Amino acid sequence: MIAVTMRLARRVQPLGCVLALRFLVLLPWDVPAAWALDNGLAATPTMGWLHWERFMCNTNCKEEPDSCISEDLFMQMADLMDSEGWKEVGYEYLCIDDCWMARQRDSKGRLQADPTRFPSGIQYLANYVHSKGLKLGIYADVGKKTCAGYPGSFGYYDIDAEIFADWGVDLLKFDGCYCDSVEQLANGYKHMSLALNKTGRSIVYSCEWPLYMWPFHKPNYTEIRQYCNHWRNTGDIYDSWQSIKSILNWVSYNQKTIVTVAGPGGWNDPDMLVIGNFGLSWDQQITQMALWAIMAAPLLMSNDLRHISTQAKALLQNKDVIAINQDPLGKQGYLLRKENNIEVWERPLSNLAWAVAVVNMQEIGGPRSFTINIASLGQGVACNPACHITELLPMKTKLGFYEWTSCLKTRINPSGTVLLRLESQST
């Protein structure tokens, strides 16, 4: 999470058919990704569930026992991730965010869980989560306090890393509130990375380092990747279309800086999936799922798995879309072209395949038709000399065989997306 409490200021036709080719960027895919954190983790983007957007910092278990931050909530989510098919499609990490701690450390300077809401302790919860074939994530802060005012890790990095390992934690989300300087922030993120590795336990390290650096200067992503498995660049996501749009706009504006640094072991994190909540239309939920797959983003749901619709569950568990997100080539996609409120995003995949998302950003009127020159996709090689195209979203449909000189006509709902997979003729 991000809070304003940080002490630093923050913040099918012939080629000539319809559109001129207006490319926004041509990214150098032959340039190898920067050296990654050497902990052997996050070879593909992390998948799981995180409590923050849906449940925030609700500690009122007396009046709201079903939605307060407690061991009961996480055990119930673990049960559902195990029994409702989430684990089988890749959602593996059950992650606690802020507000799990007691207000004070114990007599030995160690973090401790709130004794009322987590009476059995974090180690017990980790064992329970592990018994379901899942992994447990936890939250801490690089500064003197967490964003919600609980004890921070400043001055306790080694102690906290050791206790997380002792408890059996598998992922640490490390926030950046209450630091006195950017130097303290950077040094704290580095220190905790080294401390986690020193424990000998495999712990995915999720950072918010660049988010807190941007108000002061452009982050050094090569350095960040050496210490973190994924990193947040933008503020907290909300359950709204405006929030989704603002994240996509930020990513596309900064893609020349952030796209090529992503890859196995280190990923840009545009924040949680809010599919299955209240603020997005069905088409907007499709857009989030499709674009998070294109961006090779961690897929960390924040919703109530006890009360999720069948439709939202099917979207989140769509194996074809997850396969794009988890593609082993590990290349992040990018915005290729934008024209008349239509955006075309693409991502290179393994075995010479490509994923293409066509997004209708117009929010007035009805569905719009859009025609794509096949030769413009995949840097001109996706369908050279030909390819098979399958529409994955909104509904899986085999569109057929397309030659390099042909065009593809699509129809996209307002704020919706058509997600395509292109496979070369030889695959």
Side-chain angles (χ1 to χ4, degrees), residues 237-249 279-280 284 363:
I237 197 168
Y238 285 68
D239 185 16
S240 76
W241 177 234
Q242 182 59 42
S243 181
I244 300 293
K245 286 194 300 181
S246 69
I247 291 170
L248 295 176
N249 288 338
L280 301 183
Q284 292 160 4
E363 297 174 49

Side-chain angles (χ1 to χ4, degrees), residues 18 28 35 74 79 101 106 109 120 129 158 179 195 207 217 239 290 295 309 316 352 355 399 422:
V18 176
W35 182 80
F74 292 97
D79 291 343
M101 301 175 191
D106 69 14
S120 305
V129 169
D158 294 291
C179 281
C207 302
H217 59 76
D239 185 16
M295 292 188 293
S309 71
L316 287 163
L352 304 180
L399 301 182
L422 285 58

Side-chain angles (χ1 to χ4, degrees), residues 126-412:
N127 290 339
Y128 187 85
V129 169
H130 295 158
S131 75
K132 302 294 180 177
L134 302 167
K135 296 179 179 179
L136 182 70
I138 207 163
Y139 170 99
D141 192 284
V142 70
K144 297 173 183 177
K145 292 189 287 185
T146 73
C147 297
Y150 291 85
S153 291
F154 179 73
Y156 295 89
Y157 299 129
D158 294 291
I159 292 173
D160 290 355
E162 289 169 4
I163 196 67
F164 294 150
D166 288 346
W167 285 343
V169 166
D170 305 292
L171 179 149
L172 173 64
K173 177 181 176 180
F174 210 41
D175 215 333
C177 285
Y178 290 101
C179 281
D180 292 330
S181 68
V182 291
E183 291 78 15
Q184 183 187 100
L185 179 87
N187 289 337
Y189 273 107
K190 295 175 187 176
H191 192 149
M192 181 55 87
S193 178
L194 298 174
L196 291 172
N197 273 359
K198 191 166 63 175
T199 68
R201 182 169 181 81
S202 295
I203 300 176
V204 172
Y205 189 36
S206 175
C207 302
E208 306 210 355
W209 182 355
L211 165 60
Y212 290 86
M213 296 295 282
W214 270 110
F216 304 97
H217 59 76
K218 180 179 176 180
N220 181 344
Y221 281 96
T222 301
E223 179 179 54
I224 290 168
R225 181 177 165 84
Q226 292 173 2
Y227 291 95
C228 304
N229 291 120
H230 33 90
W231 47 86
R232 285 271 301 284
N233 296 303
T234 53
D236 284 5
I237 197 168
Y238 285 68
D239 185 16
S240 76
W241 177 234
Q242 182 59 42
S243 181
I244 300 293
K245 286 194 300 181
S246 69
I247 291 170
L248 295 176
N249 288 338
W250 189 95
V251 170
S252 61
Y253 183 80
N254 292 283
Q255 63 185 12
K256 290 184 180 179
T257 298
I258 68 169
V259 165
T260 55
V261 77
W267 310 96
N268 291 295
D269 181 3
D271 210 7
M272 296 161 277
L273 293 168
V274 293
I275 295 164
N277 290 324
F278 308 98
L280 301 183
S281 71
W282 176 240
D283 286 294
Q284 292 160 4
Q285 292 178 73
I286 288 172
T287 294
Q288 190 187 22
M289 191 68 184
L291 270 296
W292 263 235
I294 290 285
M295 292 188 293
L299 300 182
L300 294 171
M301 306 177 289
S302 191
N303 49 26
D304 191 341
L305 299 179
R306 299 166 299 189
H307 305 292
I308 192 168
S309 71
T310 301
Q311 189 180 41
K313 179 180 177 182
L315 177 60
L316 287 163
Q317 292 188 359
N318 187 306
K319 293 181 180 179
D320 294 314
V321 181
I322 290 172
I324 290 174
N325 175 266
Q326 297 286 296
D327 187 82
L329 184 63
K331 298 289 188 181
Q332 180 172 331
Y334 50 87
L335 177 62
L336 173 69
R337 179 164 67 247
K338 183 174 183 177
E339 186 165 335
N340 297 326
N341 285 319
I342 297 287
E343 295 184 355
V344 179
W345 295 67
E346 65 179 15
R347 178 184 176 186
L349 306 174
S350 55
N351 299 318
L352 304 180
W354 286 76
V356 175
V358 185
V359 189
N360 179 6
M361 286 295 185
Q362 187 163 294
E363 297 174 49
I364 189 170
R368 299 175 66 197
S369 295
F370 184 77
T371 302
I372 308 169
N373 292 309
I374 297 298
S376 72
L377 301 174
Q379 301 185 4
V381 301
C383 292
N384 189 0
C387 66
H388 294 275
I389 301 180
T390 302
E391 178 182 309
L392 302 180
L393 293 174
M395 182 178 295
K396 187 171 184 179
T397 308
K398 292 185 177 181
L399 301 182
F401 181 79
Y402 286 78
E403 295 183 341
W404 187 75
T405 55
S406 62
C407 290
L408 173 67
K409 189 173 183 178
T410 61
R411 191 167 175 82
I412 318 106

